[in-house]
Amino acid sequence: MQPGGKATTSATNVPALPSETFTSTGYRVLPDFGQLEVSYDGIHYQKICNLKPIYKAHESWRQKTISFAPVKAKKYRLNLHHWWEEPEKNQELLLNSIVLNSSAMLDQFEEKAGLFTEYIENDRIPIYQGKEIIHSEKILNITDKLSV
């Protein structure tokens, strides 16, 4: 999947009425490019989450964390579609390191941490159970071990 949609110069929100989507000069919402699906019997599949596009706002960052409710299944698959727009000549789909992780993850971590400028969509973090999270009393503060 090639980054697409808006450019860095178009990433500033234009004054507009409140809405569920980003409003900007030259910006357009790109479709999801697929879904992660699971099967409990190896035959029938159901959608777990949508795979969101990566926009052109910062072309050097190409990682996206998507959170979804925990699931244990026999098979997992990516149902991919709409990764290019009709006028694009390069219709290659470049994927690298698809990782399914049983740890609780912060949805859209990269955007929220400011690793790249992106419009942050509605949060999809599921409600995690106690055994899936790291409790604050188990976190070690090593600040005093660092040199500034």
Side-chain angles (χ1 to χ4, degrees):
M1 181 185 102
Q2 303 296 324
K6 67 184 178 190
T8 306
T9 57
S10 297
T12 304
N13 202 11
V14 173
L17 295 174
S19 70
E20 290 295 315
T21 59
F22 184 80
T23 305
S24 179
T25 305
Y27 176 80
R28 65 194 185 300
V29 177
L30 297 177
D32 297 338
F33 73 94
Q35 291 79 33
L36 172 64
E37 298 177 339
V38 297
S39 174
Y40 301 100
D41 60 9
I43 299 169
H44 302 93
Y45 285 83
Q46 65 185 48
K47 179 180 88 167
I48 296 301
C49 67
N50 291 316
L51 303 175
K52 300 296 183 181
I54 296 177
Y55 289 93
K56 284 186 186 176
H58 199 301
E59 292 196 33
S60 67
W61 192 268
R62 299 197 179 175
Q63 175 180 320
K64 191 164 201 77
T65 300
I66 301 172
S67 295
F68 53 89
V71 61
K72 289 182 182 179
K74 184 174 184 178
K75 302 264 183 178
Y76 296 83
R77 76 176 180 190
L78 298 176
N79 178 1
L80 304 173
H81 52 79
H82 295 101
W83 63 81
W84 81 90
E85 295 179 299
E86 286 302 321
E88 291 179 331
K89 292 181 183 180
N90 184 0
Q91 298 176 357
E92 288 182 324
L93 176 62
L94 305 174
L95 292 176
N96 185 7
S97 298
I98 303 296
V99 177
L100 296 178
N101 194 319
S102 61
S103 300
M105 295 288 176
L106 184 63
D107 190 51
Q108 304 172 79
F109 155 73
E110 298 81 6
E111 292 97 321
K112 291 175 182 174
L115 298 175
F116 67 97
T117 304
E118 185 66 282
Y119 173 70
I120 299 174
E121 297 180 358
N122 290 335
D123 210 328
R124 297 175 297 268
I125 298 176
I127 298 172
Y128 291 113
Q129 304 304 314
K131 65 181 181 176
E132 298 168 322
I133 60 174
I134 299 172
H135 295 281
S136 59
E137 63 272 3
K138 292 185 177 181
I139 297 174
L140 299 175
N141 183 351
I142 59 169
T143 307
D144 62 334
K145 309 285 189 274
L146 302 173
S147 59
V148 181

